[in-house]
Amino acid sequence: MSKTLNTQIHRLQLVALLALSSAAAQAHDIVLEPQRDGVAVRYGHAQDWQQVQDGKLVDLQLLRGSEAPQDLRASLRPRRIDFVMPLPSGRQPLLVAARYDNGLWARLPAVGNAKPVSRNTTRVMLPEATVVSNNLKFAKALILGADDTTVYKRTVGHLLELVPQRNPASLKPGEPLDVLVLFRGQPQADVEIELSNLEDLPGKEQRFRSDARGLARITLLPKGVNTLGALHERPNDGSLGEASRSVGADKFVLAATLSFVR
């Protein structure tokens, strides 16, 4: 085999390895995607959607205007690996919010040249684990209305939350959207936000970062689904409340998404 062919094969293998590594590094999120027949509850990311575990879906709430949240878990219906929540009749702006507890994951030490692997368990089962994380997922979906002045900016009290500072439906073509990142209700700086259409291969997402005020200026996709995703890690130091100290985790991995259709 020629040296040139060997080099080409090596390059192809390297590209494939990098692609796999990139895909593996993608966070699996809970996503609420507005669709024609309602809002789909999805878990995973583009090119790797997985089964939504009903028992892990802590709550699913509908908010409109200044009304109190309405729990709609009972209205969910299964569809393949997702769930779908029908929306009320009418065209009023709505906000849907969900929390999803993906549980504890214990990472095992790497063996030889192999990559470390994680198991959905605790140190009781795997005392040799190098780190145990509690993975908490949050999601919101906006059903946009051009005249909405209330719903788009409502906060729902998630530990990690993305809050648009303007109604996305009111933006002119090419006009950016400022999004506030909140951790426990307070602005959080230096959080990376990815923008996805939920279809493209991992690695094609646009990336932005929140500033000292917790604001990230997002250049939205011109049409279709826009999903913003943020990831934030915290050590188990009590910063998530006193109850967090009793959780058998070294750290918390929080993921939040916000979806709407333009």
Side-chain angles (χ1 to χ4, degrees):
M1 188 178 294
S2 70
K3 181 178 180 180
T4 300
L5 183 57
N6 273 328
T7 301
Q8 291 175 341
I9 292 174
H10 176 73
R11 286 176 178 172
L12 288 173
Q13 290 173 334
L14 181 59
V15 169
L17 179 60
L18 290 173
L20 289 172
S21 299
S22 175
Q26 294 289 313
H28 287 82
D29 298 322
I30 193 72
V31 176
L32 300 176
E33 182 183 357
Q35 298 180 349
R36 289 184 178 181
D37 56 348
V39 173
V41 183
R42 310 181 70 185
Y43 178 73
H45 57 71
Q47 307 298 318
D48 187 22
W49 296 107
Q50 301 181 7
Q51 179 71 50
V52 177
Q53 302 294 324
D54 179 61
K56 295 183 177 183
L57 188 63
V58 178
D59 55 28
L60 182 69
Q61 297 182 325
L62 176 71
L63 302 91
R64 48 187 160 190
S66 57
E67 298 177 13
Q70 179 183 359
D71 186 12
L72 290 186
R73 268 186 54 87
S75 69
L76 282 176
R77 62 175 187 265
R79 185 186 62 184
R80 298 185 296 276
I81 62 174
D82 305 332
F83 285 86
V84 176
M85 183 193 77
L87 292 174
S89 58
R91 296 186 176 181
Q92 70 270 44
L94 302 169
L95 175 63
V96 184
R99 294 183 298 165
Y100 192 85
D101 187 350
N102 203 38
L104 295 169
W105 287 83
R107 173 166 289 194
L108 291 170
V111 178
N113 294 325
K115 294 182 179 179
V117 296
S118 296
R119 299 283 184 254
N120 190 189
T121 187
T122 70
R123 276 203 178 87
V124 174
M125 295 290 282
L126 294 176
E128 69 273 27
T130 57
V131 65
V132 177
S133 62
N134 191 187
N135 296 265
L136 307 177
K137 317 286 185 177
F138 308 92
K140 298 196 301 185
L142 276 170
I143 311 303
L144 297 175
D147 298 328
D148 174 33
T149 60
T150 304
V151 174
Y152 77 88
K153 59 184 177 182
R154 284 192 67 172
T155 57
V156 297
H158 289 169
L159 290 173
L160 184 65
E161 186 170 359
L162 301 176
V163 185
Q165 299 302 284
R166 289 184 61 187
N167 180 354
S170 69
L171 298 178
K172 299 176 182 178
E175 192 173 7
L177 175 66
D178 285 343
V179 175
L180 179 63
V181 181
L182 296 177
F183 169 68
R184 299 199 72 198
Q186 298 300 314
Q188 184 65 42
D190 200 32
V191 175
E192 185 175 79
I193 296 178
E194 292 184 350
L195 173 63
S196 169
N197 62 6
L198 302 183
E199 295 180 0
D200 289 342
L201 285 167
K204 290 190 175 182
E205 303 90 347
Q206 299 180 51
R207 289 177 170 80
F208 310 86
R209 190 170 293 276
S210 62
D211 61 19
R213 301 168 296 168
L215 291 171
R217 178 152 292 184
I218 310 295
T219 303
L220 297 175
L221 301 172
K223 61 181 180 179
V225 175
N226 280 250
T227 294
L228 307 176
L231 191 67
H232 185 53
E233 294 189 5
R234 305 288 295 200
N236 190 0
D237 56 3
S239 59
L240 268 69
E242 192 58 35
S244 67
R245 296 183 184 275
S246 63
V247 176
D250 304 305
K251 66 176 181 178
F252 291 88
V253 180
L254 313 177
T257 61
L258 170 66
S259 299
F260 49 84
V261 177
R262 285 164 58 81

